[in-house]
Amino acid sequence: MKTARFSRVGFVLAAAGSAVGLGNVWKFPYMTGENGGGAFVLVYLATIILIGVVLFLGEVIMGRLSRKDSVSAFRNLAPKNGHIWKYSGLMVFTGIMILSFYTVVLGWIFKYIVISFNNLPVSATESGMLFGSIIGTNVPNQIIYFSLAFLLTFFIVSKGVKRGIERINLILMPLLILILLVLLIYAINLDGFTQAVSFMFNPDFSKIKGMTILKALGQAFFTLSLGVGCIMTYASSLSDNTNLYRSSLMVAAMDTFIAILAGLIIFTFTFHFGVEPSGGPGLVFVSLPPLFNEMGTFGTIVSLLFFIALAFAGLTSAISLVEPSISFIINNTKLTRFQGLVIIGIVTYILGFMALLSNVKDLKEYVTFFNTGFFDILDFLSSSILMPIGGILVAVFVGFFIQKDKLRALLVPDMGEFIFKTWHFGIRYIVPFGVFLVMINQLFFS
Ligand code: PHE
């Protein structure tokens, strides 16, 4: 099947749609809050620059050279032993794992769109209770919103209206940035802002403990959609004349900018309302709504637009999580696109359902393993283990098994010889060894 190619901006749009999502606005702030603030941010930023961007470009290249799904990319590009390398491409299934808890959170966002209309909490305490009841006690309601998020994602993928959604994103992503900027202006005038800045940018290294470094690395992978074949799959339909280097930099810069912006805003209001920064996955849902309420009618509108824009950012990421496994199934099995979607859908729904239950007060014990709820297990396993492993495989493959001349021909016109050499060194050595060392060190020695 010949797939349609992206226009020049099309790839940037799709890749940014994948990268910018709940990871930036929901996950980054609460991970920062849970892992001690500045030191976490510092490791995160270092990882984005030294590993994230380098690897992002590596995935783009694999997609662009193979023009196929990840499994076929590894198989076809390997000079020999393609039948072994192809198993690396199975990283696409990590996407399903992420998608399952991602749709649960997307469900919470849908719920907050409705709440924006008439139920915004007046205080931080009320806000905390509201969020607690949404995820912890009001189970049928949560199942409805989760199912809605799930159905919408699969509906969009099955109808092939992804491009349409991305076009809507062309309006909604700038809108999200605009709302964040409005909130930032509001935030700057509050006392909490100085505290937020110092919390995020004044690293206290004594706060680095346990898995902090691995989690920061995992967050960098998560936010740039790395190590699951998403970027590779999108890059497989790149047009020939796209500037790979510039596109990759643009996506990474935009993604990081949005995360930092979201962090500053959320921590300002966290401190302003006296919410605990280490409050976990509820942070954005607890700290922002009382603020929207405080802003009056204008706040209702801002709240509505904020959650709608966030829902779209999340939806485009969710879609990108299904795409790689679907394109693998179509290219490598006899199943049709629809059959593939049904299978992936069933697995996602079951895993997501279990993740949802693991936050429910009376039921969590049934979905808790090794003292950890299923939601957290899926998150940790995907971000801190499977994505980094996927990343190492891509880096080793691109660095050592794709001919340097081929890479040079593709990249040097855009980035020049010096940056190319630095990049090649990075993907050969810094990425694989860096990620490997962090994993070993944190998993076994912390
Ligand atoms: N990058 C997305 C986000 O930040 C999540 C994602 C991870 C999407 C992996 C695709 C692949 O929300």
Side-chain angles (χ1 to χ4, degrees):
M1 187 178 77
K2 196 162 166 40
T3 42
R5 296 269 165 92
F6 281 123
S7 64
R8 254 189 230 209
V9 281
F11 170 73
V12 175
L13 263 190
S18 170
V20 175
L22 309 183
N24 308 60
V25 179
W26 160 72
K27 199 170 175 208
F28 171 72
Y30 95 75
M31 293 289 281
T32 304
E34 265 184 349
N35 291 286
F40 177 89
V41 175
L42 193 71
V43 181
Y44 165 82
L45 289 176
T47 316
I48 295 274
I49 296 167
L50 292 175
I51 293 176
V53 180
V54 176
L55 198 55
F56 194 97
L57 195 51
E59 279 204 29
V60 167
I61 284 170
M62 281 188 70
R64 165 71 178 70
L65 283 175
S66 72
R67 299 224 171 276
K68 276 280 168 59
D69 63 284
S70 322
V71 172
S72 315
F74 275 104
R75 186 181 47 223
N76 301 350
L77 294 177
K80 52 180 185 224
N81 296 330
H83 61 290
I84 299 176
W85 270 112
K86 73 174 184 209
Y87 291 106
S88 308
L90 294 178
M91 62 160 113
V92 290
F93 290 111
T94 307
I96 307 295
M97 214 182 251
I98 300 175
L99 183 65
S100 53
F101 69 89
Y102 208 84
T103 30
V104 173
V105 184
L106 206 49
W108 300 344
I109 291 171
F110 287 167
K111 171 82 188 177
Y112 272 85
I113 293 179
V114 176
I115 288 176
S116 302
F117 279 109
N118 53 5
N119 265 333
L120 285 172
V122 292
S123 66
T125 326
E126 198 182 294
S127 188
M129 273 162 34
L130 175 67
F131 181 72
S133 76
I134 289 173
I135 72 160
T137 46
N138 198 347
V139 189
N141 198 267
Q142 197 189 171
I143 293 176
I144 293 174
Y145 284 101
F146 158 65
S147 306
L148 194 69
F150 166 85
L151 287 173
L152 203 56
T153 305
F154 280 82
F155 176 77
I156 294 170
V157 179
S158 74
K159 287 287 171 211
V161 288
K162 194 171 131 291
R163 294 283 160 83
I165 297 297
E166 274 154 18
R167 232 165 283 142
I168 300 179
N169 228 19
L170 197 56
I171 303 166
L172 285 177
M173 202 166 325
L175 179 71
L176 182 66
I177 298 178
L178 188 72
I179 297 172
L180 290 174
L181 287 174
V182 169
L183 292 176
L184 182 74
I185 293 171
Y186 197 87
I188 287 176
N189 297 310
L190 299 175
D191 287 345
F193 186 70
T194 346
Q195 251 174 301
V197 172
S198 126
F199 182 71
M200 280 181 69
F201 298 112
N202 202 352
D204 172 356
F205 292 100
S206 65
K207 296 252 174 67
I208 294 197
K209 49 180 183 269
M211 305 270 199
T212 306
I213 299 183
L214 184 57
K215 287 197 174 160
L217 178 98
Q219 175 61 19
F221 272 82
F222 187 89
T223 196
L224 289 180
S225 308
L226 294 173
V228 273
C230 283
I231 301 302
M232 206 184 290
T233 307
Y234 276 7
S236 67
S237 29
L238 265 172
S239 63
D240 290 335
N241 52 4
T242 309
N243 184 325
L244 307 180
Y245 174 59
R246 207 173 37 201
S247 310
S248 303
L249 280 186
M250 262 167 67
V251 175
M254 181 155 44
D255 186 79
T256 311
F257 175 70
I258 294 182
I260 298 289
L261 203 57
L264 278 175
I265 291 162
I266 287 165
F267 285 117
T268 301
F269 297 113
T270 300
F271 293 122
H272 178 69
F273 290 112
V275 177
E276 219 15 81
S278 58
L283 195 61
V284 57
F285 299 103
V286 176
S287 63
L288 290 190
L291 161 81
F292 295 141
N293 183 62
E294 202 178 86
M295 291 167 120
T297 319
F298 178 62
T300 308
I301 299 168
V302 176
S303 176
L304 200 60
L305 293 178
F306 173 77
F307 285 114
I308 290 178
L310 189 55
F312 267 88
L315 265 178
T316 47
S317 302
I319 296 165
S320 81
L321 284 159
V322 191
E323 248 357 288
S325 20
I326 272 298
S327 101
F328 159 72
I329 289 179
I330 296 175
N331 285 337
N332 295 282
T333 69
K334 294 214 163 63
L335 297 176
T336 62
R337 184 175 173 88
F338 185 74
Q339 289 164 332
L341 274 174
V342 170
I343 297 173
I344 294 174
I346 292 172
V347 177
T348 308
Y349 197 80
I350 294 174
L351 292 179
F353 202 84
M354 286 169 67
L356 183 155
L357 293 184
S358 71
N359 291 321
V360 174
K361 251 203 199 112
D362 301 328
L363 301 171
K364 55 164 73 139
E365 56 184 297
Y366 301 107
V367 271
T368 296
F369 311 96
F370 310 106
N371 275 331
T372 315
F374 196 63
F375 187 101
D376 295 332
I377 292 183
L378 284 178
D379 180 11
F380 184 75
L381 199 62
S382 49
S383 300
S384 298
I385 313 274
L386 296 172
M387 297 175 105
I389 292 180
I392 293 180
L393 290 169
V394 170
V396 170
F397 189 78
V398 175
F400 292 96
F401 293 89
I402 298 186
Q403 281 172 358
K404 200 169 173 183
D405 287 340
K406 238 187 197 173
L407 298 172
R408 178 177 275 118
L410 207 54
L411 290 174
V412 168
D414 294 339
M415 59 175 18
E417 183 69 24
F418 176 73
I419 302 185
F420 172 74
K421 280 197 170 131
T422 318
W423 170 78
H424 197 253
F425 178 81
I427 200 139
R428 265 199 163 171
Y429 304 108
I430 299 181
V431 176
F433 290 114
V435 176
F436 182 72
L437 286 180
V438 170
M439 287 184 78
I440 296 293
N441 175 16
Q442 300 265 293
L443 290 174
F444 299 105
F445 298 103
S446 69

